[in-house]
Amino acid sequence: MKYIHPEKFAAIVDHARKTNPFYARTIPENGPVPVLVREMLRKNNDEILNGHQFNSHSSGAQATTVKIFINAERKGFDAPFVQDMVRRMGGPLPRMDIIYPRDYYVPFFLSIFTPIPEQVDALLQNYSERQSVALITYPSNAVLLAKEIIDRQLDFGFMKRIGMISESINKQQTALIKRAFPNARLWSSYSSTETGMISFQCPYEPDYHHAITDKLGIEILDEQGNECEIGQVGSIVLTDYTNRQMPLIRYEIGDLAAFAVCPCGKIDYPALQSILGKVRGCFLHRDGQRVIFLSLSWALSNIPTVRQFQVIQHEIEHFTIKIVADRSVENLVVAAFTEDFGYTPLIDFEWMSVIPRDPNGKFYESICHV
Ligand SMILES: [Zn+2]
């Protein structure tokens, strides 16, 4: 099973073969077009960037860092798609976004690095001043907000809608968020730095997503590289028809999902189910604050030779890092922790050749036991 637009696919392949040295080398004339695994992108990153200065980077589902050139054309596909889904949920509401500052410009915005109590206060203030009743943030942050609201016994019954982006979300997280925001409709989208929006939760059937297949070719492959049947979970392989500067053709992004048939019958885009990506998580600092695993994650992913990692917090000042990297980076890793925490916790190193997914299929970038 796959959704590939034959002419759009042929056009980007032809363009890439003629303009990009990597694809000229790897795609023979008249095919076949090989799958580009993440590790291959990482190894040939500069050649695939083809002289374009990268303007973003992705740590992706398995925390393997790649440099990306985001093309301006993608907004022309993503924005109307998102607007259509929001319209189907009842139209836009006054809202606040609590996200990474660089993601995009929005008028009522708070940095994701704002301490959680201040985030909660800002949401209350925005409700009282401008009736803001919607929020967009990352699932890991929504969980921290929910805990704070429950601990402070605040009434957030006014919140009508919470959108969660950029990460996988599980049922326990959803349950906690619903306790704190009892009247909010929760929605999620699935996107990547590399390709932008991939799919949006169906506004009618929350177990399903609809994929933006006029921008992306989507294949789901099993471990042997064969196409999966409907309902069979496999590896997502994307072709971005729009990015002509840094083409991504048959790119295996590292997330898992299954094609599905959404019972809504109202949206023409094909459906995905069981999307299994990255879970970012958070850590407890010794001042009692829980901090989302974002700035430290990016600092770690920027250390040379670091290919994959997972950080586990056993006690407030005791961590294990599972890491795929040259052992010479140990001091740089310790320095990244010190910079992020403001003190140096005890860090045990486990040097790995590959870090597996959790048995449920998600990849946990961090695990917190405190
Ligand atoms: Zn649907």
Side-chain angles (χ1 to χ4, degrees):
M1 184 90 200
K2 63 181 175 185
Y3 289 90
I4 296 279
H5 189 289
E7 286 89 40
K8 288 183 180 179
F9 185 79
I12 192 70
V13 168
D14 184 55
H15 169 80
R17 281 192 75 247
K18 285 179 178 154
T19 60
N20 189 292
F22 174 79
Y23 290 104
R25 199 157 52 74
T26 55
I27 305 179
E29 196 169 356
N30 300 318
V33 181
V35 170
L36 174 64
V37 298
R38 197 176 179 85
E39 181 61 13
M40 187 74 118
L41 171 55
R42 196 186 67 79
K43 277 189 182 151
N44 298 277
N45 212 154
D46 288 336
E47 196 181 18
I48 298 174
L49 273 166
N50 197 18
H52 295 279
Q53 177 62 36
F54 71 96
N55 51 19
S56 192
H57 63 270
S58 159
S59 63
Q62 306 223 9
T64 306
T65 308
V66 289
K67 294 177 286 186
I68 301 296
F69 178 82
I70 296 176
N71 59 318
E73 294 82 0
R74 84 158 55 150
K75 279 203 185 82
F77 287 85
D78 289 2
F81 183 76
V82 173
Q83 282 159 12
D84 181 50
M85 295 295 172
V86 170
R87 181 183 60 76
R88 291 170 186 273
M89 286 193 289
L93 296 169
R95 73 161 206 257
M96 259 189 84
D97 291 13
I98 306 179
I99 51 176
Y100 188 77
R102 216 172 41 185
D103 274 4
Y104 49 88
Y105 173 78
V106 284
F108 297 97
F109 156 83
L110 199 61
S111 163
I112 187 68
F113 300 117
T114 309
I116 296 295
E118 287 176 34
Q119 290 186 28
V120 169
D121 293 341
L123 288 169
L124 289 169
Q125 189 183 352
N126 265 266
Y127 173 60
S128 71
E129 288 177 2
R130 46 179 282 270
Q131 292 72 55
S132 173
V133 289
L135 165 69
I136 290 180
T137 192
Y138 310 123
S140 297
N141 196 60
V143 166
L144 296 182
L145 285 170
K147 284 180 178 161
E148 175 80 10
I149 287 164
I150 293 164
D151 285 352
R152 282 163 64 178
Q153 299 183 317
L154 297 170
D155 179 4
F156 266 72
F158 62 84
M159 192 65 84
K160 293 207 171 96
R161 203 181 287 161
I162 297 177
M164 288 172 286
I165 59 172
S166 296
E167 277 179 65
S168 278
I169 180 159
N170 64 37
K171 286 197 160 58
Q172 291 88 339
Q173 290 174 315
T174 305
L176 185 71
I177 294 163
K178 280 192 167 158
R179 264 181 65 202
F181 303 99
N183 301 317
R185 171 183 192 147
L186 308 185
W187 63 263
S188 65
S189 64
Y190 167 48
S191 61
S192 72
T193 305
E194 292 93 317
T195 64
M197 180 72 62
I198 299 166
S199 68
F200 198 100
Q201 188 177 27
C202 179
Y204 311 104
E205 298 284 346
D207 289 341
Y208 298 84
H209 273 232
H210 288 281
I212 182 165
T213 46
D214 43 9
K215 183 188 78 173
L216 296 173
I218 304 186
E219 304 168 65
I220 296 180
L221 304 180
D222 68 15
E223 286 181 6
Q224 285 73 44
N226 301 314
E227 289 173 26
C228 291
E229 305 290 325
I230 283 186
Q232 182 188 355
V233 173
S235 185
I236 301 174
V237 172
L238 301 172
T239 297
D240 185 343
Y241 305 134
T242 72
N243 194 340
R244 293 169 74 84
Q245 293 86 351
M246 183 191 182
L248 290 170
I249 297 175
R250 299 200 76 208
Y251 172 49
E252 187 171 22
I253 194 160
D255 296 336
L256 306 178
F259 283 123
V261 178
C262 179
C264 77
K266 292 178 179 168
I267 297 175
D268 287 339
Y269 290 101
L272 297 175
Q273 217 179 3
S274 311
I275 299 167
L276 299 167
K278 172 178 70 178
V279 180
R280 191 173 278 132
C282 63
F283 292 126
L284 182 61
H285 285 216
R286 71 179 174 199
D287 64 3
Q289 282 200 47
R290 287 190 188 271
V291 176
I292 193 163
F293 184 45
L294 190 58
S295 58
L296 176 59
S297 167
W298 285 12
L300 294 173
S301 65
N302 275 328
I303 295 174
T305 80
V306 170
R307 288 158 57 187
Q308 213 191 347
F309 53 83
Q310 181 182 57
V311 180
I312 301 151
Q313 185 173 26
H314 307 286
E315 298 164 22
I316 289 178
E317 296 192 41
H318 181 196
F319 292 79
T320 293
I321 180 166
K322 295 181 178 182
I323 187 163
V324 183
D326 191 295
R327 286 176 186 241
S328 64
V329 302
E330 187 169 325
N331 288 341
L332 293 173
V333 170
V334 173
F337 272 77
T338 306
E339 168 80 22
D340 204 67
F341 284 82
Y343 51 90
T344 308
L346 175 64
I347 306 166
D348 297 327
F349 282 77
E350 277 185 38
W351 303 95
M352 317 270 289
S353 57
V354 67
I355 303 170
R357 286 172 180 274
D358 189 81
N360 70 17
K362 293 195 176 80
F363 184 83
Y364 288 85
E365 270 204 342
S366 71
I367 298 168
C368 181
H369 293 304
V370 291

